[in-house]
Amino acid sequence: MRFEPGRLILYRNVRRGRIGWARPARVVSDDDRGLLLWLARHTPVVDEVADDGRGMRMMPFAEWVTRSYRLRVVPWHGADLLMFLPAGAAHSVWWFRDPATGRFANWYVNLEEPGVRWDDGAVAGVDVVDQDLDVVARPDRSWAWKDEDEFVERLAFPDHYWVPDPTAVRAEGERVVKLIEAGDFPFDGTWCDFRPDPSWTPPTVLPEGWDRPPVR
């Protein structure tokens, strides 16, 4: 299954059958290398929050697992974001930009289970399982792990957490780190100066069917 360039699809994170977040994004390209997406600032996005309105990162995981949850729609307040899901890989790579200048700032490696695609005709998307541990890479190819504390904290709750094999997650991160250090694709400057089609204005509402049951 391939998505046509320019199509608005949903990039969704799934946690044990629940939607954790959903990002409507434009397809830049979809080929043998993978799926490249563009998330524009002010796009309405979805985040899962607890019954009191707090997000998962705003409380200990021991408390989070005792709560009930709801989905909240908010505007994407970050800078425009380019996201690449390499074919068959257990991670995605995001190009962060300086909100003030729009210039490339750093890469963000989001470790996640390989995406599962779906297409209902009027709405389509790709569902992943965000594995929480991440890698931040700077333009000089220096790098650092991100969210290690959260990753370790949540692993202590195997009956509730969605990461069954932490060793595999870290190994995937270490594999990507070798690409970063070597300056290999996609950390070779590719897409650092990307500019979207000017006709790609942010959607004002979520696509109907955005909350269809996850495929994972």
Side-chain angles (χ1 to χ4, degrees):
M1 180 189 303
R2 292 275 174 89
F3 299 127
E4 288 295 320
R7 186 176 185 183
L8 187 69
I9 69 167
L10 289 156
Y11 177 27
R12 305 193 305 179
N13 171 40
V14 178
R15 302 169 179 153
R16 287 183 171 263
R18 300 195 318 265
I19 296 172
W21 48 254
R23 311 283 188 252
R26 296 283 178 187
V27 176
V28 178
S29 62
D30 190 10
D31 53 32
D32 290 344
R33 293 190 298 184
L35 176 63
L36 187 64
L37 300 173
W38 176 257
L39 173 60
R41 193 174 188 184
H42 304 307
T43 295
V45 298
V46 177
D47 290 305
E48 184 181 58
V49 295
D51 46 16
D52 64 355
R54 289 182 295 162
M56 183 170 60
R57 303 184 71 176
M58 299 177 67
M59 67 183 77
F61 195 65
E63 179 182 355
W64 174 262
V65 300
T66 68
R67 294 278 184 171
S68 58
Y69 315 100
R70 60 184 174 87
L71 293 172
R72 176 180 62 189
V73 180
V74 295
W76 176 255
H77 290 303
D80 295 341
L81 187 60
L82 191 67
M83 303 173 291
F84 179 57
L85 286 68
H91 70 274
S92 60
V93 181
W94 303 356
W95 280 250
F96 275 94
R97 295 166 178 259
D98 184 317
T101 66
R103 295 176 181 170
F104 171 71
N106 64 270
W107 295 281
Y108 186 97
V109 179
N110 198 63
L111 298 172
E112 60 194 38
E113 291 185 15
V116 177
R117 300 177 182 220
W118 50 271
D119 190 342
D120 294 341
V123 63
V126 57
D127 288 358
V128 304
V129 177
D130 190 338
Q131 297 169 320
D132 298 319
L133 185 64
D134 305 302
V135 180
V136 176
R138 306 171 189 89
D140 64 0
R141 274 72 176 183
S142 61
W143 60 273
W145 293 105
K146 185 177 182 295
D147 299 332
E148 284 187 284
D149 291 347
E150 293 178 1
F151 185 62
V152 172
E153 177 197 17
R154 295 166 189 174
L155 287 170
F157 298 84
D159 291 339
H160 298 278
Y161 198 32
W162 40 87
V163 175
D165 190 349
T167 301
V169 175
R170 191 171 289 273
E172 178 73 359
E174 291 170 348
R175 187 182 72 80
V176 179
V177 162
K178 292 179 181 178
L179 299 178
I180 296 169
E181 292 177 336
D184 289 342
F185 176 82
F187 307 100
D188 57 355
T190 300
W191 299 320
C192 287
D193 58 354
F194 174 80
R195 292 293 181 268
D197 186 318
S199 69
W200 291 354
T201 55
T204 57
V205 296
L206 289 164
E208 187 174 349
W210 65 267
D211 54 351
R212 58 98 77 191
V215 297
R216 313 198 66 110

